[in-house]
Amino acid sequence: MMRYQTKLLITACLLLALSLSAAGLAYWGVSQSHSYLSRSRIAHQELERQLQLSRHSQQLFKAWTDTLLTGISDRPLGAAYLHQVIESDLAELDRLTQTELAMVGSEERRMETAELDRLNAIKSEFQHALDQLGEVEQLRSRGRPDVAWSTLLALLKGGIDKKLNELIEVAVADETAEVVRIDADAARLLSRLERISQIHAVLAILITLGLVMLLLQRLRAPLAELLRGTRVLAEGDLSHRIAISGRDEFADLGQSFNRMADDLQSHQKALQSAHANLEAQVAERTEELHQANQSLRKVDETRRAFFADISHELRTPLTVIRGEGEIALRGRNKPVAEYKNSIARIVEQAKHLSVLVNDLLFIARQGAGAARLNLQTIDLGNLLEKVCGDAKVIAHPKAVDITYANGSAEELVHGDPARLRQLFMVLLDNAVRYSNSKGEVKVDIASAGGEVRVRVSDRGIGIAPEELEGIFERFRRGGNASEHNEEGLGLGLPVAKAIVEAHKGRIEMNSRLGEGTTVTVALPASPAEGVA
């Protein structure tokens, strides 16, 4: 079945064709009317000039013959003017004939050519008559009036202007007939145009009405079906479907309507099902809210504990600094060595306090996405080797063995050497601190998937599974860690995580209670450029 878009396009093309044909017909009619009007005007002008030529020639010959008959020696009055007028008439007739000859078709060209030949004959005959009258005048002016008189009588008896008049009369008759013919042709053209216009108008009206009726007839049934379907659907009957066959736009619209009804019916069933389960969901959400409130209370307790811990941790070095200062200032003057010892303890506690504050600031800045790093391309293997050497000093009192395995020549990353050193020092310090005496800490490095991965493993006390999830929270220490070693603020692993995330890496921790812990750090690998 043809689509309505195609039907409308065909209808528009037909209407456009009718409009163009009407415009073409009008243009052709105007052009033909203009042509006939121009031909008629020229024919009338030629007829008028032919009549003027006949009248002027008769006046001219009458003036000459009267002059010769009366014996007046001077030229007739007005002869020169009439001669000039006749010349003008002949010239205008020649121009009009040439113009008409350019306008006519091949069928009429022969007639116009004959008319032009007849005009040339009139000119020749007119000049011949004037020459004969001129000879009579010359005989009389030479003193031979009797010969001039006898010649004039012969010319008059022979009809000096008879042939000229006959040619002019034929020209007038032919031009009159041509005027009548052209006017008749113009009248017939107008009548034909009128009939054609009427027929065209009737056809245009009939075709337009036929197309409109056809479109309305084709549109009525699908529109009625669509309206009925929307009304039934609006009344709540979602099971109703529209039955429109074919492959036109209404069939597509019907299919879309049916799909919409299917979706609405599915949504209604889903809503009914959701309504049926609403009470259970409300109860479930209520329980979730209760658990969320408990979690919030735990978070609040953690926050309070956090502020208590940080207050305690900051209070201790501040108390030591204040106490050492008061002792140094109390009483009589003391030896210089005693002042130096007090100042040294103050400096030590100030350094400890500065490190604590710097770590807290770095964690806060990393959380806000504004951590400050001195980035450069470094060989992570060399840095780890140096850090492991420094960590052996920490491990010596517990006789913990630190082994480092580097599987390749260079492991390049783009990072801050100081912060990365701090990161791995924290991990090694924790591994040594929570290892058993004479234990072992293993460090290895390798590249895989565009990353440089470092693993720090120990066989220490391990971490309980329920405490492993929050191990990277600030001031959070597991119970097992607190029992094993009272020292520590619970700030090392949060700082380590902040450093890794600042380098766009990731850190993971796997641990089993009583078996040990493995921390994996993955950093983006860097191409080989300048190595710091």
Side-chain angles (χ1 to χ4, degrees), residues 4 217-227 244 248 250:
Y4 279 92
Q217 184 179 2
R218 296 294 180 88
L219 289 172
R220 186 180 296 111
L223 282 176
E225 181 66 20
L226 287 172
L227 290 174
I244 299 179
D248 56 14
F250 284 106

Side-chain angles (χ1 to χ4, degrees), residues 160-326:
I160 187 173
D161 58 347
K162 180 179 179 182
K163 188 174 181 180
L164 178 62
N165 290 332
E166 289 176 356
L167 290 173
I168 293 176
E169 288 175 0
V170 172
V172 170
D174 289 347
E175 202 63 45
T176 302
E178 185 176 358
V179 169
V180 173
R181 179 178 57 81
I182 291 174
D183 290 343
D185 290 344
R188 284 194 298 272
L189 175 65
L190 291 176
S191 178
R192 190 182 307 117
L193 286 175
E194 184 178 359
R195 287 196 301 273
I196 293 175
S197 299
Q198 292 173 351
I199 294 172
H200 188 277
V202 171
L203 288 176
I205 292 173
L206 291 177
I207 292 174
T208 303
L209 289 176
L211 291 174
V212 171
M213 294 298 294
L214 182 62
L215 287 176
L216 288 178
Q217 184 179 2
R218 296 294 180 88
L219 289 172
R220 186 180 296 111
L223 282 176
E225 181 66 20
L226 287 172
L227 290 174
R228 189 172 69 86
T230 54
R231 183 173 61 253
V232 172
L233 191 67
E235 292 173 354
D237 185 6
L238 299 181
S239 62
H240 179 75
R241 297 295 181 268
I242 292 177
I244 299 179
S245 60
R247 292 182 296 177
D248 56 14
E249 289 83 353
F250 284 106
D252 296 341
L253 185 59
Q255 293 175 3
S256 299
F257 182 93
N258 292 336
R259 286 196 295 270
M260 180 187 69
D262 291 338
D263 293 340
L264 288 176
Q265 194 171 23
S266 300
H267 292 162
Q268 187 183 50
K269 292 180 180 179
L271 287 174
Q272 291 174 351
S273 177
H275 181 72
N277 298 327
L278 184 59
E279 292 183 357
Q281 291 179 359
V282 169
E284 183 180 352
R285 295 295 183 272
T286 303
E287 179 63 24
E288 290 178 357
L289 287 174
H290 178 68
Q291 294 178 0
N293 287 331
Q294 290 182 346
S295 299
L296 288 174
R297 280 194 289 271
K298 290 180 180 179
V299 170
D300 185 63
E301 291 174 359
T302 303
R303 180 181 61 82
R304 294 175 183 274
F306 167 75
F307 284 112
D309 290 342
I310 193 172
S311 299
H312 173 73
E313 297 300 334
L314 292 177
R315 187 184 301 114
T316 299
L318 289 175
T319 301
V320 172
I321 291 172
R322 180 179 178 182
E324 290 294 338
E326 290 177 348

